[in-house]
Amino acid sequence: MVRSQSNGEIDYEDLEVKLRENAGKPAIVNVNAGTTVKGAVDSCAQVLDVLRSVGLTRDQFYVHVDGALAGLIVPLCETVYAENYAISFDKDIDSISVSGHKMLGCPMPCGVVITRKEHMERFQRDVEYLNSRDATIMGSRNGQAPLAMWVALQKHHGIDGLRDNVLKCIANARYLRDLFERAGVRVDLNPLSTTVVFEKPASEEFVLKWQLACTGDIAHVVVMPSSGKDKLKAFFDEYMKDRAAAEAAAGGAEGGAAAKAAKAAKKVEDGAVDPKRRVV
């Protein structure tokens, strides 16, 4: 298992260490374009540099890019940072997967896997009763999924409309991040991500109401086209009320415990209780 950096991105130095520990063996590397919890994006260029630095030739490694979350975000961000994290078959990657029910907003779980033709030819086979070759992984496909994705693309008005939505989502994610920062709440947002990571809410009721995904002491919100600033502000305001209520309750409990301890100490001082006995 290769370690990750604090922001969720792959640790390139540890990747090199692990590859050298397994010298002489081929490598299959999964590169993330949008990790589940923090929305981090790995650099294909840096991963490929590491693979070459340990002496692996092109036929000795396979690189898959898991772009389920940010596969439709990174290619539409025209920044210098995005160029360093570009996803392209011009590089020595072998396949990429992208979800249709995230940024595109399809009403059902669906997605697309794109691979090089040479790889597809390894598993495709003739199907006699269909009188054709089957190039699918599972031997069948959902006929509704491509239709749903096509409709979604039309609603986004093609690539230009999709790019506008991506940039809007990134701007809205930064808006939510800024709200948390100004309020003194620990928050993180990766540059090519719409996943805002913040301190886990105090109450389980709040988590359930907003259907938040929590890991340890953090939670996250993935800002999609349906999440406008009004909704994000309403979420933030309710989060802060929940936080304030929890802090007030904690303060009251601490105050009550302190008063009880002071009262017990006073009894000992007045000689009403033997100081050698435990006071509860």
Side-chain angles (χ1 to χ4, degrees):
M1 180 72 71
V2 178
R3 291 197 302 264
S4 61
Q5 301 176 50
S6 60
N7 70 338
E9 186 175 345
I10 190 172
D11 185 326
Y12 304 101
E13 292 182 359
D14 190 54
L15 172 62
E16 181 175 350
V17 169
K18 295 298 193 299
L19 289 170
R20 292 192 184 282
E21 287 176 352
N22 293 274
K25 300 177 182 178
I28 299 176
V29 182
N30 182 81
V31 176
N32 277 294
T35 56
T36 302
V37 177
K38 297 184 177 180
V41 178
D42 300 330
S43 168
C44 290
Q46 286 185 255
V47 168
L48 290 168
D49 285 345
V50 171
L51 289 168
R52 297 188 188 98
S53 72
V54 298
L56 290 173
T57 57
R58 183 63 186 94
D59 62 337
Q60 293 178 312
F61 63 83
Y62 185 105
V63 176
H64 172 71
V65 179
D66 180 355
L69 183 56
L72 287 175
I73 295 177
V74 177
L76 301 174
C77 295
E78 297 175 352
T79 65
V80 173
Y81 186 88
E83 289 177 8
N84 294 333
Y85 287 74
I87 303 168
S88 171
F89 279 99
D90 289 338
K91 304 178 186 296
D92 287 334
I93 66 172
D94 296 275
S95 58
I96 179 172
S97 56
V98 180
S99 289
H101 55 282
K102 293 186 173 71
M103 183 56 68
L104 279 182
C106 292
M108 65 187 75
C110 59
V112 173
V113 178
I114 304 174
T115 187
R116 295 183 182 276
K117 186 177 180 181
E118 62 197 72
H119 299 317
M120 187 182 70
E121 290 175 342
R122 293 177 184 173
F123 60 79
Q124 69 179 3
R125 61 190 183 280
D126 291 320
V127 180
E128 185 177 2
Y129 79 93
L130 292 177
N131 194 31
S132 66
R133 292 183 68 78
D134 177 22
T136 66
I137 296 173
M138 298 181 293
S140 181
R141 282 178 288 193
N142 181 345
Q144 290 182 312
L147 179 61
M149 294 185 72
W150 181 85
V151 170
L153 284 170
Q154 307 316 304
K155 288 183 177 180
H156 282 287
H157 304 293
I159 296 298
D160 291 337
L162 187 57
R163 179 181 291 106
D164 290 342
N165 275 335
V166 165
L167 297 179
K168 178 182 177 182
C169 288
I170 290 177
N172 286 345
R174 291 173 180 172
Y175 166 76
L176 179 59
R177 175 202 60 191
D178 292 345
L179 288 176
F180 278 123
E181 282 186 343
R182 286 196 292 267
V185 178
R186 179 167 51 89
V187 62
D188 291 298
L189 174 64
N190 278 300
L192 297 174
S193 175
T194 65
T195 301
V196 183
V197 183
F198 48 92
E199 295 176 42
K200 182 180 177 180
S203 71
E204 190 64 24
E205 291 78 12
F206 183 87
V207 171
L208 292 174
K209 176 180 178 180
W210 291 92
Q211 293 294 290
L212 296 177
C214 302
T215 302
D217 63 348
I218 61 173
H220 73 245
V221 164
V222 182
V223 179
M224 291 284 106
S226 60
S227 304
K229 288 185 177 179
D230 289 344
K231 182 184 291 186
L232 295 174
K233 183 61 165 59
F235 167 81
F236 168 77
D237 288 343
E238 191 169 331
Y239 173 92
M240 293 306 297
K241 288 180 181 178
D242 181 74
R243 183 183 178 94
E247 289 175 350
E254 290 175 3
K260 188 175 181 180
K263 186 176 180 180
K266 185 68 168 58
K267 286 183 178 181
V268 172
E269 184 180 340
D270 294 342
V273 178
D274 184 347
K276 293 182 180 181
R277 296 181 61 186
R278 178 175 296 178
V279 179
V280 180

